[in-house]
C-alpha cells in the first residue's frame, strides 16, 4: 500500500474551498492510519521474524554437522551458511525499512493534520484498540523468545543446540520488541500530536 504524498506548501495549495481540503485531508489521514497499525503490518513483522529465525537455523547448521562428524560438512556447511545469510540479510533490511516507513508515516500524518483544525478525521488516528492489540500480541513472541533463548540454552547438550536456541529465541524476542516499541511509540505520538484521550479542546498543530 503506497503512502500518500505530502500536502503542498501553503503558498501552493490549490483547494477551491475548505470542503475540498477536508476531503483530501481525510482520505490521506485514513490511508496513513491503515498503513500505520494495520493487521498486514503485524503479519509482515511476524513473517520477517520467522524468516530471521530460519536464517539463523541455517547458519547454525554446520555446528550440527560437526557434532555428527558428517563427512558432507565441507559441502553442506558453506551451503547452509549461504542460505542462512540469504534469509537473514533480507529480514534485517525489511525491519530497517519498516522502521523508516513508520517514521515517514508519522511525518506525513503530522503534515496533513496541520492543514486544518477539524478533529473528526484526527480522532480516528488514535486507534487505541489497534495499538493495544499490537502491544498485547507482541508480548507473545517476546515471552516465547526469551523462554526459547534461555531455557533452550540451559537445556542444550551441544554447541549447536545452544546456538540454535539463543539465536532463534533472540530473533523472536527482537520481533516482539519491535511490535511493542511501535505500539508505545504510536501512543506517545498521539499524546503529543492530538492531546490526551478525551480532551476535545486540544488544538491540532496548524501552520
Amino acid at each position: 500500500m503506497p503512502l500518500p504524498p505530502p500536502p503542498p506548501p501553503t503558498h501552493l495549495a490549490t483547494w477551491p474551498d475548505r470542503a475540498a481540503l477536508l476531503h483530501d485531508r481525510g482520505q490521506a489521514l485514513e490511508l496513513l492510519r491503515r498503513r500505520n497499525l494495520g493487521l498486514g503490518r503485524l503479519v509482515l513483522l511476524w513473517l520477517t521474524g520467522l524468516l530471521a529465525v530460519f536464517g539463523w537455523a541455517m547458519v547454525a547448521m554446520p555446528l550440527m554437522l560437526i557434532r555428527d562428524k558428517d563427512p558432507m560438512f565441507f559441502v553442506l556447511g558453506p551451503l547452509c551458511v549461504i542460505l542462512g545469510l540469504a534469509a537473514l540479510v533480507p529480514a534485517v533490511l525489511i525491519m530497517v525499512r519498516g522502521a523508516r516507513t513508520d517514521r515517514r508515516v508519522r511525518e506525513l500524518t503530522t503534515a496533513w493534520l496541520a492543514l486544518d483544525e477539524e478533529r473528526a478525521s484526527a480522532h480516528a488516528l488514535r486507534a487505541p484498540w489497534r495499538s493495544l492489540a499490537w502491544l498485547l500480541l507482541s508480548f507473545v513472541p517476546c515471552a516465547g523468545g526469551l523462554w526459547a533463548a534461555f531455557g533452550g540454552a540451559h537445556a542444550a547438550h551441544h554447541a549447536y543446540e545452544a546456538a540454535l536456541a539463543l539465536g532463534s529465541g533472540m530473533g523472536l524476542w527482537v520481533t516482539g520488541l519491535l511490535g511493542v516499541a511501535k505500539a508505545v511509540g504510536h501512543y506517545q505520538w498521539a499524546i503529543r500530536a492530538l492531546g490526551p484521550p478525551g480532551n476535545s479542546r486540544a488544538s491540532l498543530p496548524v501552520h
Side-chain angles (χ1 to χ4, degrees):
M1 182 187 299
L3 295 176
T10 304
H11 64 283
L12 296 179
T14 57
W15 287 285
D17 51 37
R18 184 169 183 259
L21 184 151
L22 292 180
H23 177 267
D24 290 349
R25 177 178 177 268
Q27 285 189 329
L29 291 178
E30 174 61 20
L31 180 59
L32 289 166
R33 184 186 68 83
R34 296 200 305 267
R35 189 68 168 83
N36 187 34
L37 292 174
L39 178 61
R41 290 295 305 276
L42 183 60
V43 172
L44 177 61
L45 177 61
W46 283 21
L47 291 178
T48 304
L50 291 177
L51 181 62
V53 170
F54 169 77
W56 178 257
M58 295 302 297
V59 169
M61 186 68 71
L63 294 177
M64 185 185 71
L65 299 176
I66 293 175
R67 178 196 64 181
D68 297 338
K69 298 180 180 180
D70 193 323
M72 294 296 292
F73 165 76
F74 295 102
V75 176
L76 296 179
L79 180 60
C80 289
V81 171
I82 293 173
L83 290 176
L85 292 177
L88 271 175
V89 173
V92 173
L93 293 178
I94 291 173
M95 289 184 178
V96 172
R97 181 182 178 183
R100 292 177 177 174
T101 299
D102 291 341
R103 183 169 61 250
R104 182 58 177 164
V105 165
R106 292 178 187 175
E107 291 174 352
L108 289 173
T109 303
T110 301
W112 279 101
L113 276 174
L115 291 178
D116 196 274
E117 291 187 343
E118 182 269 338
R119 300 196 60 83
S121 300
H123 179 72
L125 294 174
R126 293 186 186 277
W129 294 110
R130 286 175 178 260
S131 183
L132 181 61
W134 267 76
L135 182 65
L136 296 179
L137 291 175
S138 295
F139 275 124
V140 176
C142 271
L146 290 177
W147 178 84
F150 295 104
H154 178 73
H157 299 289
H158 189 270
Y160 163 74
E161 296 174 353
L164 181 61
L166 283 172
S168 300
M170 292 305 294
L172 292 175
W173 180 73
V174 170
T175 300
L177 190 63
L178 289 174
V180 170
K182 182 177 177 65
V184 174
H186 174 77
Y187 175 79
Q188 293 176 338
W189 172 86
I191 293 295
R192 291 194 306 268
L194 306 175
N199 184 5
S200 60
R201 296 184 178 181
S203 59
L204 298 177
V206 177
H207 294 311

